[in-house]
Amino acid sequence: MEIERIRTEKIKIPVPKKYIYGYLALMAVVGIIFITYFQQKDETRLSIALDFYNTAVHENIKEYVKGSAFKLNGKDFKYSDDFINSGKSFLYFPDHKGESPKVNYDSFDTSYPIDWNELKAPYLMIKPAASDTMVIIQDGKRFLFKRVKYSD
């Protein structure tokens, strides 16, 4: 009976308030250091990322690519500021013969050009360094994407 009472009793340990405030302050400092460390690590990762336009790429793409900083099979890539500010991208112009790459959205009009990062994975990307053309092979079909400036 004595053991039952000991197990069910809650043990209260008095903790002085000054220790609680010190503990909270320590946790806040550790949290700030933790956040700044990972933020700097991400900025470092982006600073050493390969410039997509100036790098030769021959990769099997297995997942959807989105944004100006992205990963292709474990390698970090980014669009350079010059490339972004130029308003250019790699586009495919459908030829109205029913031959067009698969894209990530259901309804699409074949009269509009297709941006390369709207493609549905998987596909093979072949792009020479600093080239104005890129070849995408999807489902055994070859599609030529050209680097063009967006126009209104």
Side-chain angles (χ1 to χ4, degrees):
M1 196 59 117
E2 184 67 25
I3 295 175
E4 277 294 311
R5 190 180 61 81
I6 292 174
R7 284 186 187 166
T8 58
E9 265 184 31
K10 291 185 178 177
I11 301 173
K12 293 183 180 179
I13 301 174
V15 178
K17 286 185 178 179
K18 65 180 179 181
Y19 293 127
I20 292 174
Y21 295 131
Y23 178 75
L24 291 175
L26 177 66
M27 288 294 108
V29 169
V30 168
I32 290 170
I33 291 171
F34 187 75
I35 289 170
T36 54
Y37 170 76
F38 282 106
Q39 183 178 11
Q40 288 174 350
K41 191 173 182 179
D42 191 46
E43 289 171 3
T44 303
R45 181 184 69 83
L46 287 178
S47 68
I48 61 172
L50 299 169
D51 179 9
F52 182 70
Y53 178 67
N54 291 320
T55 305
V57 179
H58 188 281
E59 298 281 335
N60 281 313
I61 310 303
K62 297 174 184 150
E63 58 187 40
Y64 177 58
V65 176
K66 186 177 180 182
S68 61
F70 49 90
K71 280 187 171 236
L72 298 179
N73 296 341
K75 297 177 188 171
D76 290 323
F77 287 93
K78 67 177 178 177
Y79 285 124
S80 64
D81 291 335
D82 296 335
F83 190 81
I84 293 171
N85 294 334
S86 71
K88 295 183 178 183
S89 185
F90 291 96
L91 300 177
Y92 174 77
F93 295 92
D95 56 6
H96 302 289
K97 295 178 186 174
E99 294 284 326
S100 60
K102 294 179 183 174
V103 292
N104 276 320
Y105 39 90
D106 293 330
S107 61
F108 106 99
D109 189 357
T110 58
S111 62
Y112 294 108
I114 301 169
D115 198 321
W116 78 270
N117 58 4
E118 295 175 348
L119 294 178
K120 190 175 214 171
Y123 54 89
L124 173 66
M125 175 191 292
I126 303 168
K127 184 188 81 58
S131 174
D132 288 336
T133 59
M134 172 172 40
V135 176
I136 299 286
I137 301 173
Q138 187 181 51
D139 294 334
K141 298 174 187 164
R142 187 174 178 253
F143 302 101
L144 184 66
F145 284 70
K146 297 178 182 176
R147 183 175 171 248
V148 295
K149 185 171 183 147
Y150 283 118
S151 60
D152 295 344

